């Protein structure tokens, strides 16, 4: 799957808000939004007013950036949400939150979703005792996500756990302190998702 390879901070500056793509750096004074809160490029400080279509497109791009998902896969999630009996926008966010890489990040085993995706790809985690190395794997209520025994001394995981010790775990997840594992209590609802995404704009974008 193709990925955006430019500096991640440019994505935040383009959207005019923090998307927390670089973990601990986003909470420090080094964050580009704190230093240069305007769009990148020669004319970045001249913000043009977006059209209705532009606003909808920007919201879709923002959601893709949050979860590190490409266009093809994002469209697949939208189609799954649209075919469900639930509200399309809410279901879309639930599906995105259910990705294994996102759950690993939410449990504090990675400092960013990008790092979580890398760790999952390198077979750092088990789901219900079985190795899973697919970041897009969708978890279900009752699933137990744990750091594999041979990876418990992984430096990246240990550092992330220390850095994220004070970060609250969402109520739809349960973290077992000291065991490097967590359980999915239920799927995330819209009320559980703290990201500033206006999902109705994404629905409008794809409904045209």
């Amino acid at each position: 799957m193709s990925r955006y390879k430019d500096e991640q901070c440019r994505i935040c500056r383009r959207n005019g808000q923090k998307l927390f793509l670089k973990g601990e750096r986003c909470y420090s004074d080094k964050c580009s939004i704190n230093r240069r809160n305007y769009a990148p490029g020669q004319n970045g400080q001249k913000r043009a007013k977006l059209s209705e279509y532009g606003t909808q497109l920007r919201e879709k791009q923002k959601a893709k950036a949050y979860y590190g998902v490409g266009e093809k896969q994002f469209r697949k999630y939208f189609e799954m949400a649209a075919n469900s009996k639930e509200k399309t926008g809410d279901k879309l966010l639930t599906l995105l939150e259910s990705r294994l890489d996102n759950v690993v990040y939410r449990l504090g085993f990675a400092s960013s979703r990008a790092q979580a995706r890398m760790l999952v790809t390198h077979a750092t985690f088990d789901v219900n005792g079985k190795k899973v190395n697919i970041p897009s794997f969708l978890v279900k209520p009752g699933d137990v996500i744990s750091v594999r025994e041979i990876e418990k001394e992984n430096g990246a995981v240990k550092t992330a756990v220390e850095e994220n010790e004070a970060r609250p775990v969402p109520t739809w997840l349960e973290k077992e302190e000291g065991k490097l594992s967590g359980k999915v209590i239920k799927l995330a609802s819209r009320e559980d998702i703290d990201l500033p995404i206006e999902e109705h704009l994404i629905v409008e974008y794809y409904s045209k």
Side-chain angles (χ1 to χ4, degrees), residues 3 99-102 117-118 120-121 133-137:
R3 292 200 178 280
R99 287 173 54 96
L100 180 58
D101 55 359
N102 177 74
R117 184 165 53 250
M118 180 192 71
V120 172
T121 301
N133 61 358
I134 303 173
S136 61
F137 178 88

Side-chain angles (χ1 to χ4, degrees), residues 29-97:
D29 294 334
K30 295 180 180 180
C31 176
S32 292
I33 287 289
N34 294 339
R35 295 183 297 161
R36 294 176 291 174
N37 190 15
Y38 52 85
Q42 185 175 0
N43 299 312
Q45 298 188 53
K46 301 176 182 179
R47 288 191 181 275
K49 186 176 181 181
L50 290 174
S51 64
E52 180 182 7
Y53 174 80
T55 302
Q56 295 165 354
L57 175 62
R58 177 68 58 83
E59 202 65 21
K60 184 200 67 156
Q61 298 294 77
K62 184 170 71 175
K64 284 170 53 183
Y66 266 128
Y67 291 100
V69 176
E71 179 61 38
K72 184 176 180 180
Q73 195 165 38
F74 193 85
R75 181 61 185 254
K76 177 183 175 182
Y77 289 134
F78 179 81
E79 290 173 354
M80 291 170 64
N83 291 328
S84 74
K85 295 181 180 179
E86 300 176 40
K87 191 174 179 181
T88 301
D90 292 357
K91 183 62 176 179
L92 174 63
L93 293 182
T94 296
L95 289 168
L96 292 167
E97 283 288 314

